[in-house]
Amino acid sequence: MKTDANVVHLNKATAEQSPTSPVGRLPVALIQVRDKAAQQLKQNLQSLFDNADDTLFEMADRATSNAEQNAFFEAMRDLRLKRKNIERGFLQKVFESFANLNQYEIGKPQPALDAVSFDSLSLVQNDELEETVALDAMVAKVLSRDAVALGHLTTRLNALISKKLDDKSNPLGPTLLSEYFLDACSGLGVEIKVKLIILKLFEKYVLGGCDVLYAEANQALISAGILPELKSAQPRRQQRPATSSYAHSTGEEGMPLLEGADQGVQEVFGALQDLLSQVRGSAMPRRAQVSDALPITSNDLMRLLSHMQQRAPAQVNIEDFDLREQLEQLLERASSKSGKTRVVGEVDEDVINLVSMLFEFILDDRTLPDSLKALIGRLQIPMLKVAVLDKTFFSRGSHPARRLLNEIASAALGWVDQDDAQRDSLYQKIEQVVQRLLNDFVDDPAIFSELLAEFMAFTGDERRRSELLEQRTRDAEEGSAKAELARRQVEHALNERLLGKTLPEVVVRLLQEAWSKVLMLTCLKHGVDSDEWHAALQTMDDLVWSVAPHEDPEARLRLLELVPGLLKALREGMASAAFDPFSTSEFFSQLEVLHVQAFQRFKRAAPEPEVTPQESEVTSDAARADIELPLLELPAAEAVEDAPAMVEVVEEIILLAPGQTRPQEPDVVLPDDDEALQYVDSLRVGSWVEFQEDEEHKLRCKLAAIIKPTGKYVFVNRTGMKVLEKTRNALAVEFRRNAIRLLDDALLFDRALESVIGNLRKLKNA
């Protein structure tokens, strides 16, 4: 065979260029893999060049200028002349890569830099950048699809050779195959735009068959006993013959013969067709029956849709756009030109009706913001083209086009309409995706996979940033809740001891302003069941007792015993709470006067007894505690003259956090079985809701946390920033007056399809 002769010729050429002939040292199994891979790659290249003329001719036909048209025609001519050289150069690179598998590379010579002018340097760099981006996208697509099979092939090759490989250096890997082809095309004198089209063809016809290539190579090595325990998945499709640029042909009845479509897909689409046929004439207009009407092929329908897509205005009212009406007008124009009535085939008409109904649901969905509906509405034609090409669009949840639509809708869930929408990064990204599809999508659905990966990378970065801020918000709210709970404990302790009592003003202020901080700190650090908490409460009790009037003679002795330890505990506690030293000194000065006056009252009430050894010891302790006992000798008249101001605590003490105002009126108390409370209890963390603030303004936010100690529901916006907090009762009141609405965060396409099927079934049973 001619093909075999060519392969042998390349083998000989390689051997002649390498005197040491490493080919002879390759294992037999590896030689078999190389020859079979070369045969398949050669066939795929032939398919590429067989279809290149048609593709370039179609591009030239759609060119907008004579210069652009001439560029495509020149590229067609250049490609025909250099086709054999490109095939030979590419396959020779493949053979050389296998020949070098058992040799370590000493080093590659660096290519000489061509002399270029500064004027052309920027252009060259831009062209190289576009090539690099295209190559990276091609390689990434193969790796995401065939990573397991390629990894097993690399592992088996490493078991046979001395030079260790990875997926990038595997001679059959997408990285090297793409580099070999680009190097083989280096002699083409074409513009970057044409070169990118040729690379796209290489991706479709050569890299598109890598799954079969890897499966057969792995099977050959398994048959040779090389790591048979590694199990690779079967290729997802058989190698496709050279066809037109569309992925299916049309049968006699107009039913697409979908390549790779399984029985389940046919059943799903068949069920949808059955529902449509039963409601045609009621839910949708019945197609007019014209005796000489000629159905257009799916290929022609795709051309019409592409025409509509390219000429669709950038700004259009989605409510005024009727896809079926626009298509009907184009068909009427085509019929008048050809003299024959042209209509859409029945299968394609069903697809059009299904997609139209899906978008009717999507554009009526209250979950999507109105400004983003206008963007998503422009995706109707690209989504219809995908559905015409691939009926798994309706049955496969992982379909890239379907997932892209769902991802856009999910990202838009927390977006709110704003005056400067065009400056919002999410809006700009969605607009960019829509524009890319309208400009670049012709008949290759692979663009949806690329855009899906880009959009998910973008939303992933945004989500990570928002989750980080959201977590900080939760931590801050939980810390605030702990502080609020501790504040309530301290308020309860203060009111329990002070409410209804008449005490010196300085003591009330000391407890409310200073000792409350000590209690707060103790409660937060140790809790209300700790010894430290009880000790702080006891200090407060001792202080209140020490300034209260007492008639019991034994109280004098107890006061003498109590004061040194009390003052020490007060001083240490206020120091631990970092209370203002100047205010602390002022409090102690006034407290000292109070204690002196208390001892003077004891002296006036009864003659001073002889000082017992025990009292002498207490006095010494007081001296060590820095109490100025000589003040006890002050005249009674002077002490009475300095009588302290007394206050009666008649209102509950309320401690306010820094920046906090007086608490508002308590929420309306609702019965436990109230329906609105049940709505609130059904909210889960992560639920999106919409608050109707007034007639014009709406607030979309997500429930980030439910703080149980305080009963607060904390809401954040899509960036993770706190925007609202409500109590359980306050939320219930909002539900009762219909000022809050729960947003459905289920997948948009799935909800739309479910709604369409449900409506069709209702009409069928009506």
Side-chain angles (χ1 to χ4, degrees):
M1 292 177 62
K2 185 177 180 180
T3 303
D4 294 335
N6 286 339
V7 172
V8 172
H9 171 72
L10 288 172
N11 191 5
K12 290 178 180 178
T14 306
E16 290 173 2
Q17 291 176 5
S18 302
T20 56
S21 189
V23 178
R25 294 201 295 270
L26 285 179
V28 175
L30 204 52
I31 294 176
Q32 293 175 348
V33 169
R34 178 203 64 190
D35 292 346
K36 192 167 184 65
Q39 181 74 18
Q40 182 178 336
L41 290 171
K42 182 176 177 65
Q43 292 175 355
N44 293 346
L45 278 176
Q46 289 172 348
S47 297
L48 183 158
F49 289 112
D50 289 343
N51 286 272
D53 266 4
D54 293 339
T55 302
L56 291 173
F57 185 86
E58 186 178 352
M59 298 297 293
D61 188 47
R62 285 190 283 174
T64 57
S65 65
N66 290 334
E68 187 179 5
Q69 190 177 59
N70 290 334
F72 285 119
F73 284 135
E74 287 296 326
M76 290 169 57
R77 179 177 178 277
D78 200 21
L79 204 58
R80 289 196 200 103
L81 293 175
K82 297 177 180 176
R83 169 176 176 171
K84 292 299 181 183
N85 289 335
I86 294 174
E87 289 181 7
R88 188 180 300 110
F90 174 78
L91 292 174
Q92 184 169 342
K93 285 285 186 181
V94 174
F95 270 80
E96 288 176 356
S97 64
F98 272 93
N100 293 327
L101 285 179
N102 271 336
Q103 286 188 344
Y104 291 99
E105 291 184 354
I106 299 175
K108 290 184 178 181
Q110 296 297 322
L113 293 175
D114 296 332
V116 294
S117 67
F118 288 105
D119 295 335
S120 63
L121 183 59
S122 176
L123 179 61
V124 171
Q125 290 176 341
N126 289 336
D127 290 353
E128 291 176 350
L129 179 61
E130 290 194 50
E131 284 182 10
T132 302
V133 171
L135 288 175
D136 289 345
M138 291 159 52
V139 171
K141 197 178 300 181
V142 176
L143 292 178
S144 66
R145 186 186 66 214
D146 305 317
V148 175
L150 176 60
H152 289 178
L153 178 59
T154 302
T155 303
R156 289 190 172 100
L157 292 180
N158 283 329
L160 290 171
I161 61 177
S162 56
K163 173 185 174 183
K164 296 306 175 186
L165 304 174
D166 56 20
D167 290 348
K168 288 185 177 180
S169 57
N170 188 322
L172 297 181
T175 303
L176 288 185
L177 290 179
S178 300
E179 291 179 1
Y180 296 159
F181 181 74
L182 193 61
D183 185 65
C185 293
S186 59
L188 285 175
V190 296
E191 299 175 358
I192 183 62
K193 184 176 182 179
V194 177
K195 184 175 288 188
L196 292 178
I197 294 173
I198 296 172
L199 287 177
K200 199 69 177 177
L201 292 170
F202 177 79
E203 176 187 359
K204 182 176 183 178
Y205 292 101
V206 180
L207 296 186
C210 279
D211 52 349
V212 178
L213 179 69
Y214 300 150
E216 293 182 356
N218 276 311
Q219 188 56 49
L221 293 176
I222 290 173
S223 300
I226 310 300
L227 301 179
E229 63 274 10
L230 291 178
K231 301 295 183 183
S232 299
Q234 293 298 318
R236 55 187 173 84
R237 67 190 187 286
Q238 295 300 319
Q239 178 67 19
R240 295 184 293 196
T243 62
S244 68
S245 58
Y246 299 111
H248 66 273
S249 59
T250 305
E252 295 179 359
E253 301 297 328
M255 173 68 74
L257 304 176
L258 299 173
E259 296 176 2
D262 56 18
Q263 188 64 29
V265 174
Q266 296 286 13
E267 289 177 359
V268 171
F269 185 66
L272 291 171
Q273 282 186 295
D274 182 58
L275 284 172
L276 286 170
S277 66
Q278 296 181 47
V279 300
R280 188 173 284 116
S282 58
M284 60 195 69
R286 185 180 297 276
R287 183 176 56 172
Q289 299 294 329
V290 181
S291 58
D292 61 344
L294 182 63
I296 63 172
T297 65
S298 296
N299 196 340
D300 291 334
L301 175 61
M302 290 290 294
R303 291 179 182 273
L304 289 176
L305 293 174
S306 295
H307 175 84
M308 293 171 58
Q309 175 180 303
Q310 293 294 333
R311 286 156 180 78
Q315 300 295 332
V316 63
N317 190 342
I318 55 176
E319 297 178 356
D320 298 336
F321 180 77
D322 189 328
L323 174 62
R324 284 172 285 202
E325 182 181 345
Q326 297 284 334
L327 191 57
E328 191 67 31
Q329 292 176 2
L330 287 178
L331 285 173
E332 289 178 1
R333 289 165 54 188
S335 300
S336 62
K337 286 183 179 180
S338 63
K340 295 181 180 180
T341 304
R342 307 300 300 271
V343 295
V344 177
E346 183 176 337
V347 173
D348 289 335
E349 185 183 23
D350 288 339
V351 173
I352 293 171
N353 288 328
L354 283 172
V355 173
S356 296
M357 288 187 287
L358 287 171
F359 270 84
E360 285 174 6
F361 172 89
I362 289 172
L363 298 179
D364 285 338
D365 187 27
R366 295 179 61 192
T367 298
L368 286 175
D370 291 338
S371 54
L372 289 181
K373 282 182 183 179
L375 280 180
I376 295 175
R378 298 174 65 193
L379 292 176
Q380 187 170 358
I381 296 177
M383 292 297 171
L384 174 56
K385 290 170 67 176
V386 170
V388 170
L389 289 170
D390 185 3
K391 302 303 182 293
T392 63
F393 177 74
F394 297 107
S395 60
R396 185 160 57 96
S398 59
H399 194 287
R402 186 166 164 172
R403 285 185 61 198
L404 179 62
L405 188 59
N406 284 332
E407 289 293 336
I408 290 175
S410 297
L413 194 62
W415 198 85
V416 292
D417 291 326
Q418 47 193 320
D419 296 334
D420 57 344
Q422 282 71 18
R423 298 178 59 186
D424 182 85
S425 60
L426 176 61
Y427 186 95
Q428 290 178 341
K429 187 62 181 179
I430 296 176
E431 189 176 38
Q432 178 187 346
V433 169
V434 172
Q435 204 58 47
R436 277 279 308 277
L437 285 173
L438 293 176
N439 292 340
D440 300 343
F441 175 44
V442 179
D443 64 346
D444 186 0
I447 190 174
F448 285 92
S449 298
E450 298 173 13
L451 292 175
L452 174 63
E454 292 177 11
F455 190 77
M456 291 185 67
F458 170 81
T459 55
D461 291 339
E462 279 210 333
R463 185 172 58 254
R464 281 187 290 272
R465 286 193 294 268
S466 66
E467 286 175 352
L468 180 61
L469 184 55
E470 192 175 320
Q471 184 59 49
R472 291 176 180 171
T473 301
R474 277 195 295 269
D475 293 342
E477 289 299 320
E478 289 173 358
S480 177
K482 290 179 181 178
E484 179 64 23
L485 191 60
R487 191 173 295 110
R488 292 179 184 177
Q489 292 284 355
V490 174
E491 286 177 353
H492 176 73
L494 289 173
N495 288 316
E496 189 178 32
R497 287 158 176 79
L498 302 182
L499 196 60
K501 293 183 179 180
T502 301
L503 295 169
E505 181 189 11
V506 61
V507 172
V508 175
R509 284 197 303 109
L510 186 148
L511 293 177
Q512 186 172 347
E513 297 176 11
W515 200 247
S516 63
K517 293 181 172 56
V518 178
L519 291 173
M520 276 279 295
L521 185 63
T522 305
C523 184
L524 289 172
K525 290 179 65 176
H526 305 290
V528 294
D529 296 325
S530 63
D531 293 338
E532 290 82 357
W533 171 257
H534 291 297
L537 292 181
Q538 186 59 49
T539 299
M540 181 165 59
D541 292 336
D542 290 343
L543 176 60
V544 172
W545 184 89
S546 71
V547 297
H550 301 285
E551 297 180 358
D552 186 359
E554 296 181 359
R556 179 175 182 272
L557 182 59
R558 183 187 170 188
L559 185 61
L560 284 171
E561 295 175 344
L562 181 68
V563 167
L566 172 63
L567 296 179
K568 181 180 179 182
L570 288 171
R571 193 179 297 277
E572 290 178 350
M574 294 167 74
S576 67
F579 193 71
D580 178 29
F582 179 79
S583 299
T584 300
S585 177
E586 184 179 351
F587 274 130
F588 272 87
S589 297
Q590 297 180 47
L591 188 59
E592 185 178 5
V593 172
L594 290 176
H595 286 155
V596 168
Q597 291 173 348
F599 280 110
Q600 288 178 338
R601 283 195 297 271
F602 280 118
K603 287 181 66 175
R604 291 194 301 271
E608 184 177 355
E610 295 182 2
V611 178
T612 64
Q614 185 179 9
E615 291 179 355
S616 177
E617 184 177 351
V618 169
T619 303
S620 300
D621 289 340
R624 286 194 296 272
D626 297 332
I627 301 176
E628 299 181 8
L629 288 180
L631 288 175
L632 294 175
E633 304 300 329
L634 287 174
E638 187 176 345
V640 173
E641 192 175 329
D642 295 334
M646 305 294 287
V647 295
E648 182 181 2
V649 183
V650 294
E651 294 184 359
E652 286 191 356
I653 295 175
I654 298 177
L655 302 176
L656 300 178
Q660 184 180 3
T661 59
R662 300 291 294 182
Q664 299 176 351
E665 293 296 324
D667 295 331
V668 177
V669 179
L670 301 175
D672 292 338
D673 59 349
D674 190 277
E675 186 179 3
L677 285 175
Q678 295 176 9
Y679 276 117
V680 175
D681 293 338
S682 67
L683 290 177
R684 55 179 173 80
V685 173
S687 298
W688 282 92
V689 296
E690 182 179 77
F691 286 91
Q692 185 75 44
E693 297 181 316
D694 51 47
E695 293 183 358
E696 297 182 357
H697 297 90
K698 297 177 181 179
L699 174 64
R700 289 192 172 202
C701 48
K702 181 173 68 171
L703 178 59
I706 302 174
I707 310 299
K708 293 183 178 179
T710 58
K712 289 182 180 178
Y713 287 66
V714 180
F715 295 88
V716 298
N717 60 16
R718 69 181 178 89
T719 66
M721 183 180 300
K722 177 183 173 182
V723 293
L724 193 68
E725 69 174 40
K726 293 277 188 181
T727 64
R728 180 169 175 260
N729 277 339
L731 278 176
V733 171
E734 298 285 352
F735 270 111
R736 290 181 68 177
R737 65 186 189 91
N738 295 323
I740 181 174
R741 181 169 62 89
L742 184 63
L743 299 178
D744 193 345
D745 58 357
L747 297 178
L748 176 64
F749 187 94
D750 299 65
R751 288 191 290 115
L753 186 59
E754 183 179 349
S755 174
V756 168
I757 294 174
N759 290 337
L760 291 176
R761 285 175 176 167
K762 288 179 182 177
L763 292 169
K764 171 187 173 183
N765 298 327

